[in-house]
Amino acid sequence: MIILAIESSCDDTCVAILKDKEILANIVSSQIEFHNKYGGVMPELASRLHVEKITYVLNEALNKANLAIKDIDYIAFTVGPGLVGSLHVGMQTVKTLSLLLDKPLVPIHHLAGHIYANRFVKDFEYPLLALVVSGGNTELVYMEDELKFKIIGQTLDDAVGEAYDKVSRLLGTGYPGGPIIDKLAHEGQITYKLPLPKNDDSLDFSYSGLKSAVINLIHNLNQRKETYNVNDIAASFQDVATTILINKVKIALKKYPMIKTFVAAGGVSANLTLRDKLTKLLSDYPNISLILPKLALCGDNAAMIGMCAYYKIITNSYNNDLTISADAQYDLEEFSNK
Ligand code: AMP
Ligand code: MG
């Protein structure tokens, strides 16, 4: 079966084509250079750029896969959550294609897509625990079975990726902050003591306090006219930001002792320190298979949406509904904390 997948939830215009679970094309057109000067994603600009790029990216994917549009059997797309204007561009594109080609639509939850990116590495065994860490999300997700998602912990304020982006803006090191801070941190020393946010027994996270602590630290250093190394601040921040994730994973593994697979998902799962710490932690759990997504598939991409769609199609658990609408708050029933 040939699956066309479109992901447009934020600032990447992505089209992938899969033959079952094999990637034939995976094109990502990044808008970073346009948003860079604002230090973050400008939603209005993101939607306009998606409108400009989507047909070119679609054509490029078809060329790369050496297929014509009529060869497509299923059309998968990110229905939410995300920036509503950005989602709408992808949605209108797939609705038009679906009507024109008379092929079914397969709506996919963005975070389900990130989790299923790990399926390109290894198959899942259930129950599964996922640490979903991205620019908009910090969640622990428990999966009892295929496509059954339950949020067991989440951030109460900022997401971890958002904290990386804000700290980078503060340090004037650029956007997106995650990969930049990650690199600088490896060239610095853990010098400053920052508080571990929400370091309790719950599975919830909080990152806004950590961001404020970095603001205060820089403010105090400036007031005292002390010179400081940006790399040391990056290293100190990264140590705390990743330690809190590890601590929460430890608590979750204790609360859910039957876990057979652990996966990391989302843009922040590209973080080298986090990957090292997870590998070290999971080496103490020989019965759990650790899967980390390929670096190229950590950030937003449409291949992950196609992979999740593959499982929806073979289990016949999708709803081909042309009246469906994109929503920034979109919450699939299957992906909730109930
Ligand atoms: P996503 O929301 O899944 O597209 O992921 C984007 C987020 O991941 C942004 O907040 C980035 O700053 C963050 N990110 C990307 N690479 C890294 C990294 N190596 N370390 C930490 N955060 C990262
Ligand atoms: Mg994402």
Side-chain angles (χ1 to χ4, degrees):
M1 96 179 77
I2 302 289
I3 304 168
L4 170 73
I6 291 188
E7 149 63 44
S8 68
S9 64
C10 191
D11 61 340
D12 293 303
T13 315
C14 317
V15 179
I17 298 174
L18 270 68
K19 183 177 183 199
D20 294 341
K21 294 193 281 178
E22 182 199 347
I23 299 176
L24 300 184
N26 184 31
I27 312 293
V28 179
S29 170
S30 167
Q31 304 177 355
I32 282 175
E33 59 175 307
F34 300 96
H35 297 288
N36 206 350
K37 60 174 174 272
Y38 305 105
V41 178
M42 282 280 283
E44 176 72 18
L45 180 61
S47 325
R48 285 165 191 259
L49 290 168
H50 283 308
V51 173
E52 262 177 40
K53 304 264 156 86
I54 191 106
T55 36
Y56 293 100
V57 179
L58 175 60
N59 259 329
E60 197 180 331
L62 287 167
N63 286 339
K64 178 92 200 294
N66 208 7
L67 290 173
I69 193 83
K70 64 171 175 35
D71 299 324
I72 302 300
D73 298 311
Y74 294 90
I75 304 169
F77 68 103
T78 303
V79 64
L83 301 173
V84 75
S86 292
L87 289 165
H88 269 297
V89 179
M91 171 159 288
Q92 285 311 127
T93 307
V94 295
K95 279 190 180 184
T96 309
L97 288 173
S98 172
L99 269 176
L100 202 71
L101 303 168
D102 194 23
K103 298 294 176 191
L105 284 181
V106 188
I108 301 293
H109 192 286
H110 182 73
L111 299 184
H114 272 302
I115 292 172
Y116 274 72
N118 286 285
R119 267 252 160 81
F120 289 108
V121 178
K122 207 169 164 196
D123 213 354
F124 292 171
E125 266 189 273
Y126 297 100
L128 174 151
L129 180 68
L131 174 69
V132 183
V133 277
S134 70
N137 297 84
T138 309
E139 284 171 0
L140 280 161
V141 178
Y142 175 77
M143 291 180 69
E144 178 70 43
D145 208 341
E146 195 77 76
L147 299 166
K148 298 273 177 287
F149 308 93
K150 188 177 168 202
I151 298 168
I152 56 169
Q154 59 195 318
T155 182
L156 303 177
D157 40 60
D158 291 357
V160 58
E162 190 180 352
Y164 267 92
D165 295 336
K166 287 179 176 168
V167 165
S168 182
R169 188 158 56 186
L170 203 68
L171 295 173
T173 46
Y175 173 82
I180 300 166
I181 297 287
D182 193 8
K183 187 166 175 287
L184 297 180
H186 281 87
E187 289 155 17
Q189 300 294 327
I190 303 167
T191 313
Y192 302 102
K193 193 159 169 42
L194 294 165
L196 269 176
K198 203 148 177 30
N199 192 27
D200 56 18
D201 282 348
S202 80
L203 293 176
D204 290 329
F205 305 84
S206 165
Y207 275 94
S208 74
L210 178 58
K211 171 199 65 191
S212 306
V214 177
I215 295 175
N216 289 339
L217 170 67
I218 295 173
H219 183 72
N220 289 339
L221 289 168
N222 284 338
Q223 272 204 330
R224 293 201 300 266
K225 297 197 174 15
E226 273 182 44
T227 52
Y228 57 88
N229 186 337
V230 166
N231 298 354
D232 293 343
I233 294 185
S236 308
F237 164 76
Q238 172 142 297
D239 180 54
V240 173
T242 53
T243 297
I244 196 75
L245 294 174
I246 296 296
N247 287 352
K248 297 292 174 172
V249 170
K250 272 188 205 160
I251 298 170
L253 290 175
K254 213 174 191 175
K255 283 194 179 166
Y256 294 84
M258 302 309 288
I259 297 294
K260 291 210 176 83
T261 308
F262 178 88
V263 307
V268 183
S269 63
N271 187 274
L272 297 178
T273 298
L274 178 62
R275 293 170 83 97
D276 282 353
K277 286 185 177 179
L278 284 173
T279 306
K280 188 160 175 292
L281 173 67
L282 269 296
S283 68
D284 291 338
Y285 296 80
N287 298 330
I288 302 178
S289 156
L290 165 69
I291 315 179
L292 298 172
K294 290 179 186 173
L295 285 176
L297 296 183
C298 289
D300 289 345
N301 66 86
M304 68 186 195
I305 301 300
M307 178 59 104
C308 189
Y310 171 82
Y311 283 92
K312 289 230 159 193
I313 295 162
I314 61 167
T315 55
N316 208 12
S317 48
Y318 66 96
N319 186 4
N320 173 29
D321 177 6
L322 270 179
T323 67
I324 197 166
S325 68
D327 188 340
Q329 302 301 320
Y330 191 87
D331 187 16
L332 287 174
E333 260 174 45
E334 67 186 13
F335 208 111
S336 72
N337 52 8
K338 285 173 204 90

